[in-house]
C-alpha cells in the first residue's frame, strides 16, 4: 500500500500518517486530490476587539495591517475565505473601512453580513432582527456590487438562528426575501477564549506566555477538528464539506499558516463557502429551535434523531481562563497545553444531545 493510500484510509484520525509526513517535510506524499474540503470563514470583521487609542485596543492602522496579514496567508495558501462584517465595528475605522473591506472582495475572498451591532437576536424582535441585517449592509453591499459579486451569506452573532419557532420561521422568510443564505458552521475552535488570554500576554509583552498560548491553541484546534469531523461522519454517515468558524483576531492572524496546515495534513482542500454550501447536507430547511448556537453536527443529530456522546467534546484548558481573568500567572498552570475539560453539564433539556455555544 502506498503512502498516499495509507493516508486516505487513516484520514479520520488526529492527523495520522499524512500529518507525520507533512511535518517531516514530505507533503507530496499526501498531495493527491483532496478527499475532503473545508471552507474558511471569519466572523467579526474588521476586527474582533476594540479599535481606538485606549489600552488594549488596536489602532486603525493596526487593524488594517492585521487584515492584510490574514489575506496574505490565505492568498499564499490559495484558500478562499468569507469575512462576516459587523457594520458598527467597521464604522469605527472611519473612511479607512472602505480600503480594508474592499480587499476582502478581491480574488477568491468575499464578504458576508454579521449584523449591524452584533446584538443577540434572542433578545430582539423579528423587526429588529431585519433592521440589524439591513443596516449591516451599509458598507458591504456597495463594495460587493462594485466587485460584481452577490452578497449571499449572513451569519448571526453567537451562531443563533431562532430561539422560538415563530422567530426561526420569520428569520428564514426574511433572509429568503432578501436573497440571503444563513451560513452554516461545522468546526469551531473556541478561538475567542484563547484570544482573551493572548491579548493580555501581548499587552504585557510576555512572549513566553504568548508562545504557550499559541501552542495551546494549535493543539486544541487539532483536537477540535478531529472531534467535529468524526461527529459529522457519525451523524451523516459520510464526510460533508466542512465549514470552519474563526474570528478576525490576533491569535488567528499569528497562527493562520499553522491552522491551515492542520487541515492540509488531514487531507483537506480549501473551497469557497458557496461551494461548501452546495453539499446536500446543507439543503434541508432549518428546523432547529434553540437559544444556543451549536455547530451543525449537533443540529443534524437532532434532526435525524442521532444520539451524540457530547462528553467527548472538550473545552480549552482551565489555566487559560484563569490567566485571562487574572486569577493566575501564565506560568502558574500545570495542565498540559493540549488539555481540555469536558462540559457535559451544558445540556439542552429539550434534546438528546449536548449543545455547544462557542462564539
Amino acid at each position: 500500500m502506498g503512502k498516499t493510500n495509507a493516508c486516505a484510509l487513516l484520514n479520520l484520525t488526529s492527523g495520522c500518517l499524512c500529518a507525520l509526513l507533512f511535518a517531516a517535510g514530505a507533503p507530496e506524499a499526501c498531495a493527491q486530490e483532496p478527499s475532503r474540503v473545508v471552507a474558511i470563514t471569519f466572523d467579526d470583521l474588521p476586527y474582533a476587539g476594540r479599535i481606538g487609542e485606549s489600552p488594549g485596543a488596536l489602532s486603525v492602522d493596526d487593524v488594517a495591517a492585521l487584515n492584510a496579514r490574514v489575506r496574505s496567508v490565505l492568498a499564499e495558501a490559495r484558500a478562499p475565505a468569507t469575512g462576516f462584517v459587523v457594520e458598527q465595528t467597521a464604522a469605527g475605522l472611519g473612511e479607512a473601512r472602505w480600503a480594508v473591506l474592499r480587499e476582502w472582495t478581491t480574488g477568491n475572498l468575499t464578504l458576508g453580513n454579521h449584523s449591524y451591532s452584533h446584538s443577540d437576536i434572542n433578545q430582539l424582535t423579528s423587526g429588529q432582527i431585519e433592521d440589524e441585517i439591513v443596516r449591516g449592509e451599509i458598507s458591504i453591499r456597495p463594495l460587493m456590487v462594485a466587485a460584481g459579486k452577490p452578497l449571499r451569506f449572513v451569519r448571526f452573532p453567537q451562531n443563533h438562528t431562532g430561539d422560538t419557532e415563530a422567530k426561526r420561521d420569520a428569520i428564514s422568510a426574511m433572509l429568503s426575501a432578501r436573497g440571503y443564505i444563513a451560513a452554516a458552521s461545522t468546526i469551531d475552535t473556541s478561538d475567542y477564549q484563547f484570544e482573551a488570554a493572548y491579548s493580555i500576554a501581548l499587552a504585557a509583552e510576555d512572549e513566553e506566555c504568548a508562545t504557550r498560548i499559541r501552542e495551546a491553541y494549535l493543539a486544541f484546534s487539532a483536537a477540535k477538528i478531529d472531534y467535529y469531523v468524526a461527529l459529522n461522519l457519525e451523524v451523516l454517515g459520510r464526510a460533508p464539506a466542512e465549514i470552519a468558524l474563526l474570528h478576525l483576531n490576533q491569535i488567528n492572524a499569528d497562527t493562520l499558516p499553522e491552522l491551515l496546515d492542520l487541515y492540509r495534513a488531514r487531507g483537506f482542500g480549501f473551497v469557497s463557502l458557496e461551494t461548501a454550501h452546495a453539499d446536500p447536507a446543507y439543503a434541508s430547511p432549518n428546523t432547529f429551535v434553540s437559544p444556543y448556537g451549536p455547530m451543525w453536527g449537533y443540529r443534524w443529530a437532532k434532526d435525524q434523531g442521532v444520539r451524540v456522546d457530547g462528553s467527548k467534546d472538550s473545552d480549552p484548558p482551565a489555566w487559560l481562563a484563569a490567566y485571562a481573568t487574572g486569577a493566575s500567572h501564565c506560568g502558574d498552570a500545570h495542565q498540559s497545553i493540549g488539555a481540555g475539560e469536558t462540559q457535559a453539564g451544558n445540556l439542552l433539556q429539550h434534546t438528546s444531545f449536548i449543545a455547544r455555544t462557542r462564539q
Side-chain angles (χ1 to χ4, degrees), residues 56-301:
L58 293 191
S59 69
V60 171
D61 288 344
D62 288 339
V63 171
L66 194 74
N67 278 262
R69 286 172 54 208
V70 168
R71 292 193 305 267
S72 176
V73 173
L74 292 169
E76 184 175 352
R78 299 182 180 179
T82 298
F84 287 93
V85 176
V86 178
E87 173 61 29
Q88 194 172 64
T89 306
L93 295 180
E95 288 302 305
R97 74 185 188 273
W98 299 107
V100 171
L101 296 180
R102 185 178 293 113
E103 292 300 318
W104 282 90
T105 68
T106 62
N108 57 8
L109 303 178
T110 190
L111 294 171
N113 193 331
H114 200 41
S115 81
Y116 174 77
S117 67
H118 206 271
S119 296
D120 180 0
I121 65 170
N122 290 351
Q123 309 304 318
L124 303 180
T125 65
S126 297
Q128 290 170 325
I129 294 170
E130 183 167 13
D131 182 64
E132 282 283 321
I133 294 304
V134 173
R135 292 200 293 159
E137 298 176 354
I138 293 172
S139 296
I140 60 177
R141 186 166 289 282
L143 287 171
M144 291 291 280
V145 168
K149 295 181 177 182
L151 181 57
R152 296 201 62 199
F153 291 99
V154 62
R155 179 180 285 147
F156 289 107
Q158 301 177 61
N159 226 14
H160 291 169
T161 52
D163 57 338
T164 67
E165 287 188 11
K167 187 179 288 186
R168 176 203 63 194
D169 293 344
I171 289 171
S172 295
M174 180 268 291
L175 294 183
S176 178
R178 299 193 64 83
Y180 278 116
I181 297 171
S185 52
T186 63
I187 298 175
D188 170 41
T189 55
S190 300
D191 60 3
Y192 62 97
Q193 295 187 49
F194 288 87
E195 174 72 3
Y198 191 58
S199 61
I200 293 172
L202 292 180
E205 299 183 353
D206 187 343
E207 180 53 34
E208 181 179 354
C209 184
T211 298
R212 185 178 186 218
I213 294 169
R214 287 194 300 269
E215 291 173 348
Y217 177 51
L218 289 169
F220 186 77
S221 294
K224 296 295 278 189
I225 292 169
D226 292 335
Y227 172 78
Y228 281 118
V229 166
L231 169 68
N232 298 334
L233 179 64
E234 176 187 356
V235 172
L236 297 178
R238 66 178 183 85
E242 304 287 357
I243 301 173
L245 190 161
L246 299 168
H247 292 82
L248 206 297
N249 57 29
Q250 295 178 96
I251 197 164
N252 280 326
D254 288 347
T255 61
L256 189 56
E258 292 85 357
L259 286 171
L260 297 181
D261 283 348
L262 291 177
Y263 285 102
R264 289 194 192 95
R266 287 156 173 77
F268 278 96
F270 303 114
V271 298
S272 68
L273 181 58
E274 186 168 2
T275 297
H277 255 274
D279 189 300
Y282 303 106
S284 301
N286 178 25
T287 63
F288 188 76
V289 176
S290 171
Y292 302 104
M295 294 297 100
W296 255 244
Y298 289 110
R299 302 176 193 230
W300 290 325

